Amino acid sequence: MKRKYLYIAPVLAFLAASCEPSIKDEINSETYYAGEADFSSYVAIGNSLTAGYMDGTLYRSGQKNSFPNILAQQFKIVGGGEFTQPPLDDDTNDVGGMLVGGVSMPGFDTKLVMNMSTSSPENKSGTVTLDVTKKSQKAYHNAGVPGAKTFHLIAPGYGSLSNLQQGKANPYFVRTATSDETTVMADVMSLKPTFFTNWIGANDVLAYATSGGEGVDQNEQANGTDLTQYGGNDITHVGVFKVAYEGIVTTLTSGGAKGVLATVPDVTTIPYFTTVPYNPITADAVVKPGQTPEAVFDQLNMLVGMFKEILGQFGQGDRLQLLDKDKANPLLIQDKTLANLEPQIAGTIKFLVASGKFPFPITDAEIAFIAKSFGQARHATQKDLMLLTSRAQIGASFNTGNPTMDAMLIKGITFPIDDKYVLNTVEQQKVQAATIAFNTIIKSVANEKGLAVADMNELMRKAVSGLRVEDGQIYTADYFKGMGNLNTVLFSLDGVHLNPRGYAFIAAEILRVINNHYNANIPLVNPAVYPGPTLVLQN
């Protein structure tokens, strides 16, 4: 995994405590107590991380392990009241996904499982039965809305079915919204909260990152505060975030409720960005039985070398490097921050074709296709982050109808992987700048309101290297690699969201913060008793 730090977090005593009290301990007001907090009406504000989303979707058994639901069980020991979550009883096959009027919604697939017979993650076989049109029209204590950004929580119509096709509504909130014009916050406040957790803000930067920087950083736009100009993958303007976040917390505390504000994690530390190496091209990976490394790499370098020479004519030859059979070679990627040499490359290829020096027959349309792809091509460096979705691109072949060309063009090796599968350093800087700005606002609001802060950014940063608990177990932010790390991974198979053990980890941290800030003594939870990745023998 990238960016290994020689750091193991100090022993975290809060993780050592079991979620069950000792048999000799009598549970009463002297053993456990709420301190200065009142948990009689606990609500959880947030996005997919609050909803219990994992393995690429929200599904029935996964939702039971949402961190708010785990917290609510502990709160009941000290006087906590009823805690409700949006109903998923209609998810009869426990596979998640979403329908609208009986038709599958694009992008809302079944949950990911690890197929042990193929050693690969894949969508669970099963019929999706959860339908957005079957609305409950009821407010729930878990108000986590997958996909929601900060300003969405105060947007009227975000739960309107008629707005869904226009991209102005969220199917998860449509299922529960008490009316077409209500807001997430309005429904939350109808429950008269006495205590809350607020973990909103990750999507204000995450969507940009997971799209490989395909969106816009609204902080760089003159009209960056105009929400009508926003795309789904944009980074929220800091000014918009500040107004929305302050408004949300002011509303939550208007009736005297206390709570915990959680910071936004640095999304570049999660497995979605740290699992695929920048340099996976080795002899073992590309040489097939019956072939020799020398012959294979000579053939690959014929094409790579030709484009390196073409780029060199325009002073950009160092964008590419020849492949070495004895080393781990970097992926060939597209980088839209580079000067675009598409016209120059097209002209040079046409000259080579006319002079009989191009290695295969090619049409003008094919020249345009190759020139467009190589116009901003370069080899990846250690600073580039390959998205988890890039795995399926590496080594992929083409079917253009030109068999000679198809045989020579290989994604990531002799043909660049699209920019949307890579988060380059320029894009990373935008993500990190927004994250820092958002967390400064969150901590400032917490200080002003006297609220507790759960620093999820710091916790996830430490998890990159490993978080050690009292029994010596180390939990990490690695992706599932097999039975060797089955019991230590905190993330689900989508590489973005946590697994049940990871959500228990979050609950443990929040409980520790509550106990410290509100002078409470609430029993903690042990992540070890919660399941990790979802494994199946066959799908």
Side-chain angles (χ1 to χ4, degrees), residues 207-223:
Y208 175 86
T210 55
S211 70
E214 291 294 289
V216 172
D217 183 357
Q218 290 293 343
N219 294 286
E220 299 176 346
Q221 305 301 307
N223 58 347

Side-chain angles (χ1 to χ4, degrees), residues 150-163:
T150 306
F151 55 84
H152 286 144
L153 301 190
I154 55 177
Y158 194 56
S160 168
L161 182 60
S162 61
N163 284 345

Side-chain angles (χ1 to χ4, degrees), residues 360-363 366 398-409:
F360 52 82
I362 188 170
T363 66
E366 291 166 348
F398 289 83
N399 185 21
T400 65
N402 183 336
T404 305
M405 183 172 77
D406 291 344
M408 299 189 72
L409 300 183

Side-chain angles (χ1 to χ4, degrees), residues 281-476:
I281 310 304
T282 62
D284 288 342
V286 301
V287 178
K288 299 177 181 179
Q291 297 178 326
T292 64
E294 291 79 9
V296 171
F297 277 77
D298 283 347
Q299 183 178 16
L300 296 175
N301 279 329
M302 180 178 68
L303 199 60
V304 174
M306 182 187 69
F307 282 106
K308 179 177 176 63
E309 186 176 341
I310 292 174
L311 290 170
Q313 295 178 21
F314 307 102
Q316 297 295 318
D318 58 353
R319 291 186 183 183
L320 305 182
Q321 63 186 58
L322 294 179
L323 305 175
D324 188 331
K325 64 181 177 61
D326 297 319
K327 295 181 179 179
N329 297 278
L331 291 163
L332 184 57
I333 63 172
Q334 184 186 49
D335 182 351
K336 291 183 179 178
T337 66
L338 297 176
N340 194 346
L341 299 179
E342 178 182 348
Q344 294 91 328
I345 293 174
T348 303
I349 293 177
K350 288 180 180 180
F351 172 79
L352 293 174
V353 170
S355 60
K357 296 180 180 179
F358 200 72
F360 52 82
I362 188 170
T363 66
D364 286 347
E366 291 166 348
I367 290 175
F369 167 67
I370 291 179
K372 182 177 182 180
S373 300
F374 275 88
Q376 294 172 297
R378 65 172 173 84
H379 274 110
T381 73
Q382 192 171 8
K383 294 181 179 180
D384 294 305
L385 297 179
M386 303 302 302
L387 276 55
L388 189 62
T389 48
S390 70
R391 288 194 303 186
Q393 297 294 310
I394 300 172
S397 57
F398 289 83
N399 185 21
T400 65
N402 183 336
T404 305
M405 183 172 77
D406 291 344
M408 299 189 72
L409 300 183
I410 307 171
K411 281 281 187 75
I413 304 176
T414 58
F415 191 87
I417 292 176
D418 291 348
D419 182 82
K420 64 182 179 181
Y421 296 106
V422 187
L423 198 68
N424 60 46
T425 55
V426 173
E427 295 160 344
Q428 290 173 47
Q429 289 168 3
K430 295 178 181 181
V431 168
Q432 290 163 358
T435 301
I436 292 171
F438 295 161
N439 285 337
T440 299
I441 293 168
I442 291 170
K443 292 177 181 179
S444 175
V445 171
N447 183 61
E448 179 185 344
K449 300 288 186 180
L451 301 171
V453 174
D455 197 345
M456 297 307 172
N457 185 34
E458 180 67 8
L459 188 70
M460 288 297 102
R461 185 188 67 80
K462 291 177 179 178
V464 170
S465 299
L467 288 165
R468 185 193 298 273
V469 297
E470 191 175 65
D471 64 3
Q473 180 65 68
I474 297 173
Y475 294 98
T476 70

Side-chain angles (χ1 to χ4, degrees), residues 54-55 59 65 480 485-493 498-502 527-535:
M54 63 184 79
D55 298 318
Y59 57 97
N65 290 308
F480 174 69
N485 72 342
L486 173 65
N487 295 320
T488 64
V489 294
L490 300 175
F491 281 82
S492 71
L493 295 174
L498 300 161
N499 60 32
R501 184 184 301 125
V529 303
Y530 289 82
T534 306
L535 311 181

Side-chain angles (χ1 to χ4, degrees), residues 42-53:
Y42 162 55
V43 297
I45 310 299
N47 47 47
S48 52
L49 293 167
T50 295
Y53 195 104

